[in-house]
Amino acid sequence: MSLSLSRPLGSSPPALQRLSRLATLDQAAVAALMEAMGRPTVFRPRRELLVEGRDIVTPHLILSGWAARVRILLDGRRQFLNFVLPGDVVGLYHHARAVAPTTVISLTEVTSCVPPDWGVSPALDQAYAVGHALDEAYLLAQIARLGRMNAMERIGDLMLELHERLALSDLSHGRSFELPITQETLADALGLTAVHVNRMLQAARRAGDLIWSSRSMTIPDPRQLARKVGRAQIRVMAD
């Protein structure tokens, strides 16, 4: 996946960094976002931000922490559809009385705010539109992972995606990024067992592809791993 993105706004909060990379934000957009971020709400881990099938009362702009879109089956089995990271917007739709298509739960402590509505700024509308397009791309990538990739490919492809996404918010550190989730959560995202995920992560470490330690993931050679799993990476380019 290749996408030409805009220049970030210097040293600013992660959510503002991400949105400013999706579109060149004007003064009205930045002012509206900063005002919204001044009214944060904190969710402890395992709290619901949205509930599948219910009206969306409040959309969320994620300021910090990790959440996930999840489908929980009657017997308790769960499938994480994708992760929700700082700078992501969930539940903001054009149509009246929007209903949540999935449940969104906090995996860590999450801080969010109510994002400025559509129409505040054409530049912000553009950032929202690009963000929605990326959300669709990530969900389609998840379908491909679960439908056609083997276990090692699934893990490698998802780690590359997370690295790319966190880089948009300046939350990666070179080839490393924080990964504050358990192997059980990763298993539920990849349709595998936690035991199998552990085996694959050990194999990836031996192959020099992935190093997961102390809630941190390192990809020694992202380009080589991308070639192995057949992933075209997003390229972040300034105007």
Side-chain angles (χ1 to χ4, degrees):
M1 185 190 309
S2 178
L3 179 67
S4 178
L5 302 172
S6 300
R7 186 182 299 276
L9 294 176
S11 178
S12 56
L16 189 56
Q17 285 280 357
R18 181 180 187 273
L19 291 169
S20 71
R21 279 188 163 102
L22 303 187
T24 302
L25 300 182
D26 54 20
Q27 186 174 359
V30 174
L33 286 166
M34 293 302 292
E35 181 180 359
M37 288 188 282
R39 299 187 296 274
T41 300
V42 178
F43 295 86
R44 293 190 300 173
R46 298 179 296 279
R47 295 295 187 268
E48 295 173 337
L49 282 71
L50 302 176
V51 179
E52 182 179 356
R54 295 186 187 176
D55 291 346
I56 297 175
V57 177
T58 304
H60 297 273
L61 168 60
I62 306 301
L63 304 180
S64 65
W66 283 45
R69 292 181 174 89
V70 61
R71 178 76 185 275
I72 302 175
L73 304 181
L74 291 176
D75 61 2
R77 287 176 297 159
R78 60 185 186 175
Q79 176 67 56
F80 288 110
L81 304 174
N82 73 342
F83 294 104
V84 181
L85 307 177
D88 287 344
V89 178
V90 293
L92 185 63
Y93 298 105
H94 277 298
H95 52 281
R97 195 173 179 182
V99 173
T102 64
T103 295
V104 177
I105 62 170
S106 56
L107 300 177
T108 67
E109 183 174 276
V110 166
T111 303
S112 75
C113 68
V114 179
D117 204 353
W118 293 88
V120 168
S121 156
L124 188 54
D125 287 350
Q126 175 68 10
Y128 286 161
V130 175
H132 281 300
L134 288 175
D135 286 343
E136 180 179 356
Y138 299 142
L139 288 169
L140 292 173
Q142 176 72 339
I143 292 172
R145 274 194 289 267
L146 298 179
R148 287 297 179 185
M149 291 186 177
N150 63 37
M152 186 66 78
E153 291 168 338
R154 293 181 195 185
I155 293 172
D157 189 69
L158 179 58
M159 292 305 109
L160 287 167
E161 177 185 299
L162 292 173
H163 183 245
E164 293 164 6
R165 293 177 62 186
L166 290 166
L168 290 177
S169 302
D170 277 356
L171 292 174
S172 63
H173 312 285
R175 297 177 179 181
S176 301
F177 58 93
E178 291 186 14
L179 190 61
I181 58 175
T182 65
Q183 291 187 15
E184 182 180 7
T185 297
L186 186 57
D188 285 340
L190 295 175
L192 303 169
T193 66
V195 171
H196 198 37
V197 166
N198 182 269
R199 289 172 180 164
M200 292 300 98
L201 287 170
Q202 292 182 37
R205 176 188 285 270
R206 290 193 296 270
D209 292 329
L210 297 171
I211 303 171
W212 191 1
S213 61
S214 302
R215 295 165 61 89
S216 176
M217 176 63 73
T218 299
I219 307 176
D221 191 336
R223 290 187 178 181
Q224 177 177 300
L225 182 57
R227 286 194 295 269
K228 283 187 176 182
V229 303
R231 181 179 183 84
Q233 294 176 280
I234 295 177
R235 292 179 295 144
V236 178
M237 297 182 291
D239 286 340

